[in-house]
Amino acid sequence: MSNGIIIYRGPSILDGSPIVVIATGLGSGSSNRKTGALVQTWILREDVSPIEAIQNGADVSICGACPHRGRIEGGRNVGRSCYVNVGQAPLNVWRTYHRVPLANGKPRAGYPEARPDELSAMFAGRLVRLGSYGDPAAVPVWVWQSVMAQAAGGTGYTHQWKDASPDLAKW
Ligand code: SF4
């Protein structure tokens, strides 16, 4: 997963557990920018792999009360209807973040961390998906405000309308 950057690392707004948000597809000067591809943002438990998190319920920190999470019965998830295949991009991004070695033993590169005051310029002119995995309401709204300040547009969905900042509705 190239061109990734950490845009937030800190407590979840939903339950205070550690989360991390990584944007991929930024690729300044790359074909991504020319084709106007969506920048993806992955909202993950920092300390629990996304696969484990859906099996033990730790994904509540990033997905809140979303009905698509399914429920935990007998130590495993049943009834999950989320459209995101967590074993693909979310797991790959989480492993890259933690520099988990590849199958051939080579380390993954990890991601650099953006300063909050860099975010607006980084996303300028881009189309951004807020929460390619995870609910944007889990992330402090200042992160999205910075990301969207100069962006061309954004798309996202939250299931936490009752609890989410009204500022999220703009995107
Ligand atoms: S990724 Fe989105 S749709 Fe899927 S369980 Fe989380 S909040 Fe719900």
Side-chain angles (χ1 to χ4, degrees):
M1 198 63 60
S2 61
N3 298 324
I5 192 144
I6 300 163
I7 63 172
Y8 175 71
R9 173 158 45 177
S12 161
I13 293 299
L14 300 175
D15 74 349
S17 298
I19 65 169
V20 63
V21 185
I22 292 160
T24 58
L26 268 170
S28 61
S30 73
S31 56
N32 280 327
R33 192 170 280 268
K34 290 190 203 109
T35 57
L38 267 182
V39 177
Q40 308 288 338
T41 61
W42 308 95
I43 305 166
L44 305 167
R45 276 289 295 245
E46 202 269 347
D47 54 338
V48 184
S49 102
I51 293 284
E52 196 184 331
I54 61 175
Q55 295 301 337
N56 68 13
D59 64 337
V60 70
S61 314
I62 54 139
C63 295
C66 175
H68 299 298
R69 288 177 54 221
R71 61 192 184 280
I72 310 302
E73 277 180 16
R76 66 183 198 94
N77 187 298
V78 294
R80 183 172 175 82
S81 57
C82 176
Y83 58 93
V84 179
N85 187 337
V86 173
Q88 294 185 341
L91 181 61
N92 193 23
V93 168
W94 190 85
R95 285 177 167 168
T96 301
Y97 169 78
H98 283 288
R99 295 182 163 85
V100 175
L102 296 162
N104 64 9
K106 286 192 177 163
R108 294 174 210 244
Y111 297 113
E113 187 157 355
R115 292 196 319 266
D117 64 347
E118 294 176 320
L119 291 175
S120 297
M122 270 177 186
F123 288 82
R126 302 303 305 271
L127 295 170
V128 188
R129 182 130 183 246
L130 279 62
S132 308
Y133 178 55
D135 192 308
V139 182
V141 75
W142 67 258
V143 175
W144 303 127
Q145 283 167 334
S146 302
V147 162
M148 297 306 294
Q150 300 181 58
T155 171
Y157 194 79
T158 178
H159 289 275
Q160 328 295 325
W161 288 115
K162 278 199 309 264
D163 309 316
S165 164
D167 291 329
L168 270 180
K170 283 189 290 211
W171 308 302

